[in-house]
Amino acid sequence: MADNARAKRLADLIREVVAQKLQRGIKDPRLGSHVTITDTRVTGDLREATVFYTVYGDDEQRQEAAAGLESAKGILRSAVGQAAGVKFTPTLTFVADALPDTAKTIEDLLHRARASDEAVREASAGARYAGEADPYRKPGEDEAAETSAETDGDAKG
């Protein structure tokens, strides 16, 4: 079994080779400039590589890109084998990266939180405190209150 550093180096090499080959070497119109390789992971035995990609476009373009990557898998694996010089070239599996969808979900949640905060801010614009502005007692106020209560009681009696 290979060490993690070697698997990481091979994963980085695969990511670079696949990205360059997609940009310059493959003439498939489904794999135009809207496909981006985001990450690559290699198993510990260096036999299988998972290549994560994103597609700039709608669902139809994503499906076309997935089909294009599947059809170009052999050419890409050959390019990786030539560049890596390893005994066994890893098999490539292409997986659509969920990062853009996750980022969009987080952006939507943040937008809703900002709108909720704004609604609370507007509702509390003319509001006043239910009691005093500062409901906490401070040192020295207790003595002053007791002294004034005693003097008020002596004055009435």
Side-chain angles (χ1 to χ4, degrees), residues 23-45:
Q23 186 178 13
R24 294 187 213 134
I26 304 224
K27 304 286 190 250
D28 193 342
R30 299 175 292 185
L31 300 174
S33 61
H34 56 275
V35 176
T36 303
I37 304 300
T38 56
D39 193 18
T40 306
R41 296 189 185 143
V42 178
T43 58
D45 61 357

Side-chain angles (χ1 to χ4, degrees), residues 146-157:
E146 289 175 7
T147 326
S148 67
E150 289 174 4
T151 55
D152 290 342
D154 290 339
K156 291 181 184 176

Side-chain angles (χ1 to χ4, degrees), residues 53-67:
Y53 67 94
T54 59
V55 179
Y56 182 73
D58 58 1
D59 288 335
E60 183 179 331
Q61 289 175 331
R62 288 185 188 121
Q63 291 173 356
E64 289 176 0

Side-chain angles (χ1 to χ4, degrees), residues 16-120:
E16 290 174 18
V17 168
V18 169
Q20 287 176 357
K21 194 71 172 171
L22 285 176
Q23 186 178 13
R24 294 187 213 134
I26 304 224
K27 304 286 190 250
D28 193 342
R30 299 175 292 185
L31 300 174
S33 61
H34 56 275
V35 176
T36 303
I37 304 300
T38 56
D39 193 18
T40 306
R41 296 189 185 143
V42 178
T43 58
D45 61 357
L46 307 179
R47 295 283 181 160
E48 298 174 13
T50 305
V51 180
F52 295 92
Y53 67 94
T54 59
V55 179
Y56 182 73
D58 58 1
D59 288 335
E60 183 179 331
Q61 289 175 331
R62 288 185 188 121
Q63 291 173 356
E64 289 176 0
L69 287 170
E70 281 299 315
S71 69
K73 190 184 287 190
I75 296 169
L76 295 172
R77 186 172 180 218
S78 297
V80 167
Q82 289 174 354
V86 291
K87 183 176 182 180
F88 180 82
T89 303
T91 58
L92 301 178
T93 305
F94 292 96
V95 176
D97 199 350
L99 184 66
D101 296 332
T102 304
K104 184 178 179 335
T105 303
I106 290 172
E107 285 295 322
D108 291 344
L109 290 172
L110 288 173
H111 178 69
R112 277 198 277 162
R114 284 187 202 107
S116 175
D117 287 349
E118 186 61 32
V120 168

